Amino acid sequence: MKKKIAIIGSGFSGISAAAYAAKAGNEVHVFEKHDQPGGRARQFSTDNGYVFDMGPSWYWMPDIMESFFADFDAKTSDYFELVSLNPQFEMIFKEENISIPESYGDLKKLFESLEPGAGKQLDKFMDSARFKYEVGMQDFVSKPCHNWWEFVSPKIAGSAIKLDLLSNFRSYVSKYFKNPKLRTLMEFPVIFLGASPKNIPALYSLMNFGGYALGTWYPMGGFHQLVQGMKDVAEKQGATFHFNHTLEKINTKDGKVTSLIINGETQIFDAVIASSDYHHTETLLSEDKRNYTETYWKERTFAPSCLIYYLGINMKIPNLKHHTLFFENDLDAHIDSIYGDKKWPEKPLFYVCAPSKTDSTVAPKNCENLFLLMPLATGISDDEATREIYLKEMLTRIETHTGMNDICSNIEYKKSYCVSDFIHDYNAYQGNAYGLANTLSQTAVLKPKIRNKKITNLFYTGQLTVPGPGVPPSIISGKIVAKEVNNLMKQTYEKAV
């Protein structure tokens, strides 16, 4: 018997859940408050020809995306062209710049040139990272994490030591490399996992493999092409998308969701999957029906928020790569401003994406599309005047790096996005941009549960639950939750007959 399922939000986890739930034969409706799919991965265009991806820009772990499409007898190439970036990115230091080559062989040579013996050490590091990636992304992250017994298997138990679950990432990296630039290069990917490398499990060296070894890619037309491709897959399975539809209340009775109020209209569903912000979703329930209290959320460690600028530049900027990381200042000082003092950084690090270096469709001819991002503490004040101070700081450093002193005077489009915007647009708790930190105390079973403990047909998916933040984990999260819902619907049907 076909069951009617509501999915709240059309971020990556929501679209993924929609596709898998619909494939199982359910009637699936996706409700999105904005006028397009994607959540944080929305896209917008300007009247003068710029096309901006609003969020994700690093296409790492391409096999995870490919696996999603393969589950529906499709390929990424059915929807967009993937380009391998060379260099993958450039990292700017005070004394010198490091470009990360596309070829692993060239990457080894780079490491060796910076530290004798580091090439062989990179092999050892990546061999271990490959193992973590294969076990972690195939076995570890696919669990619904109801309890620890899910991880009691010969394969996982036999791999426990090699997964380095109890080692911290900084100490782990230091065992392989002494050069401070190489250490920073290896540590940077975990910054967006939500804590200092000192507090992130060494398991997450799998990200180095998923990025540096598997390559850094770009979908022509922008990251939103992945959103559109996944949406098309979900629609082909029978899912229906409803835009400009906001969930206002979740009605419950006798331990079940009975109906939802959406845009003032009451609608009845057999099950609900919330891809919306977990904390916000629970505020739509009476307090006694929530999984977690306000105190619980206040005690969690959240991944950063960020200051973003979308800039249209009426000139070409030489000496700027598709991805550039400006790390001239101390990494730990910036990290402490995010997780320690929770303030605007005094000497910030930041990231620039210039997709127009690869894709001529995202900017007018002889112009550049720039996306500037600076990680920030959650919950801080972000008035426009403060944003502008940091924009000037970032642009000055870009001008110094590129030798172009007139970038500021050639800005023809500018839009900022920060903590308060994440709260307004996504109901993001304290304006977080990347969900919960992947610290050891917030990993696997210790993350917020994917199922409401008091309401049998309410589920949660996305970056605030398992497996964690990032595009690939969010896609996996949708699959995990859809499987749980499909099993519930099957059990309900079997009891009925």
Side-chain angles (χ1 to χ4, degrees):
M1 181 180 176
K2 183 179 288 190
K3 297 293 184 178
K4 192 175 179 182
I5 298 173
I7 296 180
I8 310 304
S10 66
F12 284 110
S13 64
I15 301 176
S16 174
Y20 288 106
K23 184 181 180 182
N26 298 300
E27 179 185 340
V28 176
H29 294 268
V30 184
F31 298 97
E32 168 59 53
K33 66 178 287 189
H34 296 108
D35 61 1
Q36 60 172 294
R40 286 164 169 78
R42 288 180 295 151
Q43 188 178 78
F44 72 92
S45 303
T46 69
D47 292 338
N48 51 351
Y50 293 96
V51 180
F52 293 100
D53 282 317
M54 293 190 69
S57 58
W58 290 82
Y59 197 106
W60 274 5
M61 304 183 186
D63 56 315
I64 303 301
M65 286 71 144
E66 207 62 67
S67 178
F68 169 83
F69 285 95
D71 283 345
F72 302 94
D73 298 320
K75 304 183 294 294
T76 55
S77 59
D78 294 335
Y79 294 97
F80 49 84
E81 177 190 359
L82 269 183
V83 175
S84 178
L85 300 181
N86 189 25
Q88 298 188 43
F89 60 91
E90 185 172 31
M91 187 170 274
I92 311 302
F93 294 101
K94 277 186 178 177
E95 306 85 6
E96 62 181 319
N97 308 327
I98 298 176
S99 286
I100 306 307
E102 176 185 34
S103 159
Y104 181 75
D106 289 339
L107 184 63
K108 279 184 63 178
K109 292 177 183 176
L110 171 64
F111 272 60
E112 192 67 30
S113 71
L114 293 170
E115 179 183 322
K120 289 184 178 179
Q121 287 295 93
L122 180 64
D123 277 339
K124 294 178 182 177
F125 185 98
M126 284 300 184
D127 283 345
S128 179
R130 177 195 291 270
F131 176 81
K132 294 183 179 72
Y133 188 84
E134 291 173 349
V135 173
M137 300 309 290
Q138 293 178 17
D139 299 291
F140 203 79
V141 303
S142 62
K143 307 295 183 184
C145 295
H146 296 306
N147 56 64
W148 289 112
W149 288 107
E150 297 168 23
F151 298 91
V152 180
S153 72
K155 185 173 182 180
I156 293 178
S159 305
I161 295 177
K162 294 175 70 176
L163 288 173
D164 291 302
L165 288 168
L166 301 179
S167 303
N168 78 70
F169 195 82
R170 172 155 291 173
S171 297
Y172 182 76
V173 169
S174 68
K175 292 178 183 178
Y176 289 88
F177 310 106
K178 304 304 177 189
N179 183 287
K181 294 183 180 64
L182 291 183
R183 288 184 176 183
T184 299
L185 174 65
M186 301 308 279
E187 286 181 357
F188 117 79
V190 305
I191 293 174
F192 297 102
L193 291 178
S196 165
K198 294 181 289 187
N199 298 320
I200 292 287
L203 165 69
Y204 290 103
S205 62
L206 64 85
M207 290 186 65
N208 297 93
F209 179 80
Y212 302 166
L214 297 184
T216 302
W217 302 78
Y218 173 77
M220 296 298 286
F223 214 97
H224 196 67
Q225 297 301 310
L226 175 59
V227 173
Q228 294 290 355
M230 290 179 63
K231 173 178 175 284
D232 186 77
V233 164
E235 288 177 326
K236 286 180 178 177
Q237 307 310 306
T240 302
F241 287 75
H242 307 270
F243 299 108
N244 299 307
H245 279 64
T246 301
L247 174 65
E248 297 163 351
K249 188 179 179 183
I250 302 173
N251 295 316
T252 64
K253 185 179 180 181
D254 299 329
K256 292 183 66 176
V257 173
T258 54
S259 63
L260 304 177
I261 298 179
I262 302 171
N263 285 8
E265 179 185 347
T266 300
Q267 300 194 39
I268 297 172
F269 294 93
D270 296 298
V272 177
I273 299 174
S275 173
S276 45
D277 178 88
Y278 200 125
H279 169 267
H280 170 71
T281 303
E282 295 230 298
T283 66
L284 304 180
L285 295 163
S286 59
E287 287 191 27
D288 62 320
K289 299 297 190 297
R290 300 172 188 176
N291 271 354
Y292 304 103
T293 63
E294 285 296 318
T295 300
Y296 170 88
W297 291 109
K298 288 177 182 177
E299 292 174 346
R300 297 310 94 189
T301 301
F302 277 82
S305 185
C306 55
L307 168 65
I308 299 172
Y309 267 93
Y310 310 98
L311 302 176
I313 311 296
N314 188 22
M315 62 183 292
K316 297 301 290 185
I317 306 173
N319 305 318
L320 192 64
K321 305 297 190 291
H322 188 116
H323 295 301
T324 308
L325 297 159
F326 285 79
F327 273 51
E328 308 100 311
N329 297 325
D330 183 63
L331 173 62
D332 283 342
H334 190 131
I335 288 175
D336 189 59
S337 74
I338 297 174
Y339 307 113
D341 296 337
K342 281 186 169 287
K343 63 181 183 181
W344 285 83
E346 294 180 7
K347 295 182 177 180
L349 312 178
F350 67 98
Y351 155 66
V352 178
C353 180
S356 48
K357 294 295 181 184
T358 304
D359 188 349
S360 63
T361 69
V362 298
K365 188 176 181 180
N366 296 320
C367 295
E368 299 283 21
N369 172 323
L370 298 187
F371 171 98
L372 279 58
L373 183 149
M374 186 178 77
L376 280 179
T378 57
I380 62 175
S381 176
D382 64 341
D383 59 273
E384 199 63 40
T386 303
R387 299 184 190 191
E388 285 289 321
I389 290 172
Y390 284 88
L391 172 62
K392 184 176 180 180
E393 158 91 7
M394 291 187 283
L395 287 174
T396 298
R397 286 159 63 182
I398 294 171
E399 288 181 339
T400 299
H401 168 62
T402 61
M404 303 296 289
N405 297 320
D406 53 350
I407 295 176
C408 291
S409 60
N410 279 278
I411 296 174
E412 62 176 357
Y413 180 82
K414 178 177 69 174
K415 175 183 173 69
S416 67
Y417 202 93
C418 202
V419 178
S420 57
D421 299 297
F422 282 100
I423 294 172
H424 178 269
D425 284 357
Y426 309 118
N427 300 301
Y429 185 78
Q430 293 189 343
N432 80 84
Y434 303 98
L436 277 177
N438 268 351
T439 58
L440 190 58
S441 63
Q442 295 181 166
T443 294
V445 174
L446 302 177
K447 285 187 180 294
K449 298 298 184 185
I450 64 171
R451 189 167 183 174
N452 189 288
K453 303 168 189 175
K454 302 158 188 173
I455 303 171
T456 58
N457 59 344
L458 175 59
F459 298 78
Y460 308 87
T461 186
Q463 59 183 11
L464 286 176
T465 183
V466 295
V471 174
S474 291
I475 293 173
I476 293 170
S477 181
K479 182 177 183 178
I480 292 170
V481 172
K483 183 177 180 180
E484 293 289 301
V485 173
N486 291 338
N487 288 339
L488 174 66
M489 296 299 97
K490 182 179 179 182
Q491 292 168 10
T492 302
Y493 172 73
E494 290 173 349
K495 286 181 181 179
V497 297

